Amino acid sequence: MAQAEAQDHGLHGGAAAPAPTVGHAEGQQHPIRLYLVVWGWLFILSAGSYSIDYFGLQGDLRWGLIITFMMLKAGLIVSVFMHMAWERLALAYAILVPPLLILVFVTIMVLESGYTELTRVLSFSMGS
């Protein structure tokens, strides 16, 4: 810290550090059109989610559509509003891969639970 102050005051024999520019922040600017398009898609996907209840869909179709709409909306939010689309690939992998692996493991557990239920029903119904 003392060295930085010494450089600011020109105590090391060199020229004084240039004054910081005020006004413009460094960073990437995205066009407002991008955000409006994403908001539009989020509105459309939300309307699709609500229409599932409106039309009274049931069973696997209902849950498949709900999860599909949910994942699409989450993907848009993470990629645009959390700026993941412009991050380094390593950071994107570090954030996106663990939830995807959790989904794979949950799917495996759901399939196994169905098999376990089937074997128990068959096993206990034969003993009666």
Side-chain angles (χ1 to χ4, degrees):
M1 176 119 180
Q3 183 179 4
E5 290 175 1
Q7 286 178 346
D8 287 343
H9 297 292
L11 298 177
H12 282 278
T21 58
V22 180
H24 298 290
E26 289 294 322
Q28 187 175 11
Q29 294 292 324
H30 304 294
I32 190 75
R33 184 177 189 277
L34 171 68
Y35 294 107
L36 293 175
V37 167
V38 171
W39 284 332
W41 276 108
L42 288 172
F43 178 79
I44 291 168
L45 292 171
S46 293
S49 293
Y50 292 120
S51 68
I52 293 169
D53 284 334
Y54 181 77
F55 291 118
L57 298 176
Q58 297 297 322
D60 290 338
L61 176 63
R62 171 192 175 96
W63 292 110
L65 287 173
I66 287 173
I67 290 176
T68 300
F69 285 132
M70 177 190 68
M71 293 297 288
L72 289 172
K73 290 190 294 186
L76 278 172
I77 290 167
V78 167
S79 65
V80 176
F81 294 117
M82 295 177 69
H83 306 285
M84 197 49 69
W86 298 281
E87 290 294 336
R88 291 185 183 151
L89 193 57
L91 182 62
Y93 282 156
I95 293 173
L96 297 177
V97 170
L100 291 175
L101 290 176
I102 289 172
L103 285 175
V104 168
F105 291 135
V106 167
T107 303
I108 291 170
M109 287 187 285
V110 166
L111 294 174
E112 183 181 6
S113 70
Y115 173 75
T116 302
E117 180 187 19
L118 176 67
T119 57
R120 287 182 180 177
V121 166
L122 291 176
S123 176
F124 293 135
S125 66
M126 296 187 100
S128 299

